[in-house]
Amino acid sequence: MQSLVIVAHGSHLNPDSSAPTYAHADTIREVGAFEEVRTGFWKEEPHLREVLRTVEGDEVYVVPLFISEGYFTEQVIPRELRLSEWDVEQWDSDGLSADQATLTAADTGQTVHYCGPVGTHKAMTDVLVRRAETVTDDPDVGTGFGLAVVGHGTERNENSAKAIEYHADRIRDLDRFDEVKSLYMDEEPEVDDVTDHFESEDVIVVPLFIADGFHTQEDIPEDMGLTDDYRTGYSVPAEVDGRRIWYAGAVGTEPLLADVVLERAADAGASLDDSLAAVRETTRVATGDD
């Protein structure tokens, strides 16, 4: 019996924080990719410490709905799941290449395939591009547009910027958009100055965040000058310094992210048969593709 557990941060303050986790779990559950699909959170119920106790299966694939490798994926999640054999060296990662480690949960005895975060998987590049398509309502968007991939950025975790740069480089290599840049909230180059970094008249801004919250709904729109007060809303596109800014909101809310969760599980050895194709069909319908 194969079971999937999607783990995420969650929030006591923002009820929307867990919404993408539940949505992607529902998508995967509906196509029968696993016999059971559960969710667990650091700041909400069911808590990470208890989530494996809700799982009936003996073989569990755990996929972190996080953007980068770091404190939560390397310390908090393994500790709370009681993966006593865990050592970050088992991922043999350079900050971008975490794949999976097979461990035993100390208290339940379950075999746990602990996967790398969704944010560093190569399939996340497709989700970022899809986000650009959905915000412009144009499946062929590219020529004449610039694209900004936005991250938090922090000196506390050098891997934070690696995921942003990695996907920006991959999108740039597609030669689809006129310009592709990496911008940050707490590092240079800053998203506040988005119009200074592009020559294109149309710029799509996609935050590489899992959920819409304080940063994506309040900070970034105000910092870019889309609005003086996020509570009054803003247009999409909004005109800033003579440019049209197409602000997409958190990439983690894109239905296609369910594909990345399954890709992580498949890379860890999960037998998915036709389920991955079924989920892809579901997410295409969800985003309005033919």
Side-chain angles (χ1 to χ4, degrees):
M1 182 176 184
Q2 289 187 140
S3 304
L4 173 68
V5 175
I6 304 173
V7 293
H9 191 283
S11 171
H12 297 313
L13 303 176
N14 176 16
D16 295 328
S17 177
S18 56
T21 308
Y22 288 127
H24 302 315
D26 285 345
T27 297
I28 294 169
R29 190 177 292 116
E30 287 168 7
V31 299
F34 289 85
E35 282 84 353
E36 56 181 344
V37 180
R38 299 283 185 263
T39 55
F41 302 92
W42 173 235
K43 291 291 186 180
E44 295 182 34
E45 298 294 335
H47 193 273
L48 294 174
R49 182 160 283 267
E50 303 300 328
V51 68
L52 289 180
R53 297 176 184 272
T54 72
V55 177
E56 296 181 8
D58 294 327
E59 187 170 20
V60 185
Y61 293 82
V62 174
V63 179
L65 217 61
F66 284 77
I67 293 301
S68 61
E69 300 172 33
Y71 174 65
F72 281 100
T73 60
E74 295 175 358
Q75 297 183 46
V76 173
I77 297 171
R79 181 190 70 219
E80 297 301 301
L81 295 180
R82 300 179 182 88
L83 304 180
S84 57
E85 304 163 7
W86 166 252
D87 186 322
V88 69
E89 295 300 322
Q90 291 172 277
W91 267 348
D92 190 26
S93 176
D94 58 1
L96 284 173
S97 54
D99 47 21
Q100 74 93 35
T102 300
L103 307 156
T104 301
D107 60 331
T108 64
Q110 292 158 306
T111 298
V112 175
H113 302 279
Y114 182 47
C115 304
V118 294
T120 57
H121 195 279
K122 62 182 181 181
M124 183 61 85
T125 302
D126 298 332
V127 185
L128 285 160
V129 173
R130 178 65 63 84
R131 199 73 177 132
E133 295 171 354
T134 54
V135 74
T136 59
D137 196 26
D138 181 0
D140 300 314
V141 66
T143 302
F145 281 76
L147 175 67
V149 181
V150 179
H152 192 287
T154 172
E155 294 180 355
R156 292 176 296 174
N157 177 14
E158 64 179 11
N159 291 337
S160 176
K162 286 184 178 180
I164 310 300
E165 299 288 346
Y166 170 69
H167 293 298
D169 286 344
R170 283 174 54 82
I171 295 172
R172 195 175 295 114
D173 289 343
L174 297 174
D175 199 26
R176 174 170 175 169
F177 298 90
D178 288 3
E179 305 171 86
V180 180
K181 309 282 186 179
S182 303
L183 302 179
Y184 302 93
M185 293 184 61
D186 291 343
E187 294 181 19
E188 294 286 346
E190 293 188 346
V191 68
D192 306 37
D193 309 313
V194 60
T195 56
D196 293 342
H197 300 295
F198 287 88
E199 295 181 4
S200 304
E201 291 186 5
D202 286 277
V203 180
I204 302 167
V205 177
V206 183
L208 193 53
F209 287 74
I210 292 298
D212 275 321
F214 179 72
H215 290 315
T216 63
Q217 293 181 319
E218 302 178 27
D219 281 346
I220 296 177
E222 291 183 0
D223 290 347
M224 289 194 298
L226 304 186
T227 178
D228 293 328
D229 184 344
Y230 76 93
R231 290 170 295 186
T232 64
Y234 50 86
S235 301
V236 180
E239 187 166 323
V240 179
D241 297 333
R243 302 233 174 56
R244 286 182 294 273
I245 306 298
W246 302 75
Y247 182 54
V251 71
T253 61
E254 186 67 35
L256 192 64
L257 187 61
D259 298 40
V260 187
V261 174
L262 285 188
E263 291 278 8
R264 274 295 189 202
D267 290 347
S271 177
L272 300 180
D273 299 322
D274 298 327
S275 296
L276 187 53
V279 164
R280 286 175 177 157
E281 183 64 28
T282 298
T283 55
R284 278 199 293 271
V285 171
T287 51
D289 289 0
D290 293 330

